[in-house]
Amino acid sequence: MLVTDDALLGGRDVVDVARRAVAGGVTSVQLRLKQAAPRELVRLARLLRGALAVPVLVNDRPDVAVAAGAGVHLGPDDLPVPLARSLLPPGTLIGTSVGTEAEVVRALAEEGADYWGIG
């Protein structure tokens, strides 16, 4: 998974960077731009969805994910996975951040996340 970052992009075009990453083997893209406004995130997520043949997820923002037709990745301070699942369209890809083995079990078995990420 490519996880974008404001500072690491350094002004480069996120769609171009994502295309290159997918060409290199990335199988999903998480749009994580902490400095971007919600409208900009929606615009970029839609562009990524149109440009890529892999899942696109929006970091932390179920509202932006819905508006863009994308999945969402939730951190420990975001909405709980079950609540996000109840708000998002059926079939929306939902991931969550974990830090321990117990959190992995909870995320997948109890909360119903589609995947977990650590890092």
Side-chain angles (χ1 to χ4, degrees):
M1 174 182 285
L2 168 68
V3 179
T4 66
D5 179 272
D6 304 83
L8 293 176
L9 281 170
R12 291 178 289 166
D13 176 38
V14 68
V15 176
D16 181 57
V17 169
R19 278 189 184 126
R20 291 171 185 260
V22 169
V26 164
T27 59
S28 61
V29 173
Q30 183 183 146
L31 183 62
R32 182 183 179 274
L33 299 174
K34 297 288 189 173
Q35 303 303 315
R39 270 182 213 233
E40 180 65 2
L41 289 173
V42 170
R43 186 185 76 78
L44 291 171
R46 287 178 176 168
L47 285 173
L48 287 167
R49 284 193 57 243
L52 305 174
V54 300
V56 174
L57 299 109
V58 177
N59 188 68
D60 297 341
R61 300 293 305 260
D63 57 332
V64 171
V66 168
V72 67
H73 183 90
L74 301 169
D77 296 328
D78 298 327
L79 287 179
V81 171
L83 179 55
R85 177 87 55 211
S86 73
L87 299 171
L88 295 165
T92 299
L93 186 62
I94 300 176
T96 189
S97 297
V98 298
T100 67
E101 188 174 336
E103 289 176 349
V104 170
V105 172
R106 186 184 76 241
L108 300 178
E110 297 171 21
E111 294 183 355
D114 295 305
Y115 75 90
W116 55 268
I118 190 168

